[in-house]
mmCIF file of all heavy atoms in Angstrom:
data_model
loop_
_atom_site.group_PDB
_atom_site.id
_atom_site.type_symbol
_atom_site.label_atom_id
_atom_site.label_comp_id
_atom_site.label_asym_id
_atom_site.label_seq_id
_atom_site.Cartn_x
_atom_site.Cartn_y
_atom_site.Cartn_z
ATOM 1 N N ARG A 83 -16.448 66.426 22.277
ATOM 2 C CA ARG A 83 -16.594 67.690 23.007
ATOM 3 C C ARG A 83 -15.459 68.648 22.828
ATOM 4 O O ARG A 83 -15.674 69.832 22.672
ATOM 5 C CB ARG A 83 -16.788 67.336 24.523
ATOM 6 C CG ARG A 83 -17.990 66.615 24.891
ATOM 7 C CD ARG A 83 -18.213 66.716 26.490
ATOM 8 N NE ARG A 83 -17.072 66.227 27.176
ATOM 9 C CZ ARG A 83 -16.866 64.952 27.451
ATOM 10 N NH1 ARG A 83 -17.764 64.055 27.218
ATOM 11 N NH2 ARG A 83 -15.771 64.615 28.226
ATOM 12 N N PHE A 84 -14.278 68.060 22.767
ATOM 13 C CA PHE A 84 -13.038 68.863 22.491
ATOM 14 C C PHE A 84 -13.119 69.613 21.244
ATOM 15 O O PHE A 84 -12.864 70.763 21.211
ATOM 16 C CB PHE A 84 -11.829 67.814 22.487
ATOM 17 C CG PHE A 84 -10.483 68.486 22.441
ATOM 18 C CD1 PHE A 84 -9.809 68.717 23.661
ATOM 19 C CD2 PHE A 84 -9.864 68.763 21.261
ATOM 20 C CE1 PHE A 84 -8.513 69.277 23.654
ATOM 21 C CE2 PHE A 84 -8.588 69.344 21.235
ATOM 22 C CZ PHE A 84 -7.947 69.600 22.395
ATOM 23 N N CYS A 85 -13.584 68.954 20.198
ATOM 24 C CA CYS A 85 -13.735 69.654 18.885
ATOM 25 C C CYS A 85 -14.925 70.605 18.855
ATOM 26 O O CYS A 85 -14.783 71.674 18.310
ATOM 27 C CB CYS A 85 -13.895 68.559 17.740
ATOM 28 S SG CYS A 85 -12.405 67.526 17.426
ATOM 29 N N GLU A 86 -16.053 70.241 19.470
ATOM 30 C CA GLU A 86 -17.233 71.047 19.464
ATOM 31 C C GLU A 86 -16.958 72.446 20.127
ATOM 32 O O GLU A 86 -17.311 73.450 19.656
ATOM 33 C CB GLU A 86 -18.346 70.385 20.179
ATOM 34 C CG GLU A 86 -19.645 71.098 20.090
ATOM 35 C CD GLU A 86 -20.787 70.259 20.733
ATOM 36 O OE1 GLU A 86 -20.583 69.168 21.133
ATOM 37 O OE2 GLU A 86 -21.860 70.898 20.894
ATOM 38 N N VAL A 87 -16.218 72.448 21.265
ATOM 39 C CA VAL A 87 -15.955 73.549 22.039
ATOM 40 C C VAL A 87 -15.061 74.591 21.177
ATOM 41 O O VAL A 87 -15.151 75.767 21.307
ATOM 42 C CB VAL A 87 -15.335 73.251 23.374
ATOM 43 C CG1 VAL A 87 -14.733 74.488 24.015
ATOM 44 C CG2 VAL A 87 -16.295 72.491 24.275
ATOM 45 N N ARG A 88 -14.243 73.960 20.361
ATOM 46 C CA ARG A 88 -13.249 74.733 19.605
ATOM 47 C C ARG A 88 -13.735 75.044 18.235
ATOM 48 O O ARG A 88 -12.982 75.582 17.366
ATOM 49 C CB ARG A 88 -11.884 73.964 19.547
ATOM 50 C CG ARG A 88 -11.240 73.993 20.972
ATOM 51 C CD ARG A 88 -10.282 72.895 21.089
ATOM 52 N NE ARG A 88 -9.576 72.927 22.420
ATOM 53 C CZ ARG A 88 -10.139 72.454 23.532
ATOM 54 N NH1 ARG A 88 -11.364 71.865 23.438
ATOM 55 N NH2 ARG A 88 -9.566 72.496 24.731
ATOM 56 N N HIS A 89 -14.983 74.694 17.972
ATOM 57 C CA HIS A 89 -15.566 74.993 16.618
ATOM 58 C C HIS A 89 -14.754 74.288 15.488
ATOM 59 O O HIS A 89 -14.454 74.909 14.481
ATOM 60 C CB HIS A 89 -15.692 76.441 16.314
ATOM 61 C CG HIS A 89 -16.404 77.255 17.442
ATOM 62 N ND1 HIS A 89 -17.770 77.105 17.657
ATOM 63 C CD2 HIS A 89 -15.944 78.127 18.393
ATOM 64 C CE1 HIS A 89 -18.129 77.857 18.667
ATOM 65 N NE2 HIS A 89 -17.092 78.471 19.126
ATOM 66 N N VAL A 90 -14.499 73.028 15.737
ATOM 67 C CA VAL A 90 -13.779 72.206 14.760
ATOM 68 C C VAL A 90 -14.625 71.026 14.363
ATOM 69 O O VAL A 90 -15.215 70.432 15.223
ATOM 70 C CB VAL A 90 -12.441 71.659 15.471
ATOM 71 C CG1 VAL A 90 -11.745 70.623 14.553
ATOM 72 C CG2 VAL A 90 -11.496 72.694 15.811
ATOM 73 N N THR A 91 -14.743 70.864 13.058
ATOM 74 C CA THR A 91 -15.506 69.747 12.579
ATOM 75 C C THR A 91 -14.647 68.403 12.643
ATOM 76 O O THR A 91 -13.619 68.351 12.242
ATOM 77 C CB THR A 91 -15.907 69.962 11.101
ATOM 78 O OG1 THR A 91 -16.553 71.177 10.951
ATOM 79 C CG2 THR A 91 -16.768 68.828 10.523
ATOM 80 N N LEU A 92 -15.340 67.413 13.265
ATOM 81 C CA LEU A 92 -14.676 66.185 13.471
ATOM 82 C C LEU A 92 -15.123 65.129 12.434
ATOM 83 O O LEU A 92 -16.347 64.861 12.315
ATOM 84 C CB LEU A 92 -14.898 65.678 14.852
ATOM 85 C CG LEU A 92 -14.365 64.268 15.268
ATOM 86 C CD1 LEU A 92 -12.788 64.213 15.115
ATOM 87 C CD2 LEU A 92 -14.802 63.802 16.700
ATOM 88 N N HIS A 93 -14.140 64.378 11.847
ATOM 89 C CA HIS A 93 -14.470 63.274 10.979
ATOM 90 C C HIS A 93 -13.889 62.046 11.599
ATOM 91 O O HIS A 93 -12.663 62.013 11.885
ATOM 92 C CB HIS A 93 -13.884 63.577 9.577
ATOM 93 C CG HIS A 93 -14.254 64.859 8.947
ATOM 94 N ND1 HIS A 93 -15.396 65.020 8.215
ATOM 95 C CD2 HIS A 93 -13.653 66.019 9.007
ATOM 96 C CE1 HIS A 93 -15.437 66.307 7.830
ATOM 97 N NE2 HIS A 93 -14.377 66.940 8.281
ATOM 98 N N VAL A 94 -14.656 60.992 11.730
ATOM 99 C CA VAL A 94 -14.180 59.690 12.198
ATOM 100 C C VAL A 94 -14.330 58.655 11.118
ATOM 101 O O VAL A 94 -15.473 58.436 10.687
ATOM 102 C CB VAL A 94 -14.909 59.288 13.514
ATOM 103 C CG1 VAL A 94 -14.325 57.856 13.984
ATOM 104 C CG2 VAL A 94 -14.723 60.327 14.638
ATOM 105 N N ILE A 95 -13.352 58.045 10.753
ATOM 106 C CA ILE A 95 -13.322 57.015 9.635
ATOM 107 C C ILE A 95 -12.836 55.716 10.244
ATOM 108 O O ILE A 95 -11.894 55.639 10.944
ATOM 109 C CB ILE A 95 -12.337 57.499 8.514
ATOM 110 C CG1 ILE A 95 -12.899 58.759 7.830
ATOM 111 C CG2 ILE A 95 -12.257 56.391 7.488
ATOM 112 C CD1 ILE A 95 -11.990 59.274 6.758
ATOM 113 N N THR A 96 -13.529 54.606 9.835
ATOM 114 C CA THR A 96 -13.229 53.292 10.243
ATOM 115 C C THR A 96 -12.592 52.631 9.049
ATOM 116 O O THR A 96 -13.145 52.580 7.969
ATOM 117 C CB THR A 96 -14.379 52.518 10.774
ATOM 118 O OG1 THR A 96 -14.890 53.186 11.894
ATOM 119 C CG2 THR A 96 -13.964 51.167 11.205
ATOM 120 N N THR A 97 -11.395 51.942 9.267
ATOM 121 C CA THR A 97 -10.766 51.244 8.261
ATOM 122 C C THR A 97 -10.226 49.896 8.668
ATOM 123 O O THR A 97 -10.377 49.518 9.905
ATOM 124 C CB THR A 97 -9.542 52.125 7.688
ATOM 125 O OG1 THR A 97 -9.023 51.440 6.596
ATOM 126 C CG2 THR A 97 -8.550 52.294 8.787
#
Side-chain angles (χ1 to χ4, degrees):
R83 291 195 305 272
F84 189 91
C85 291
E86 185 179 351
V87 167
R88 290 158 180 80
H89 307 291
V90 173
T91 304
L92 175 63
H93 308 271
V94 178
I95 294 175
T96 300
T97 183

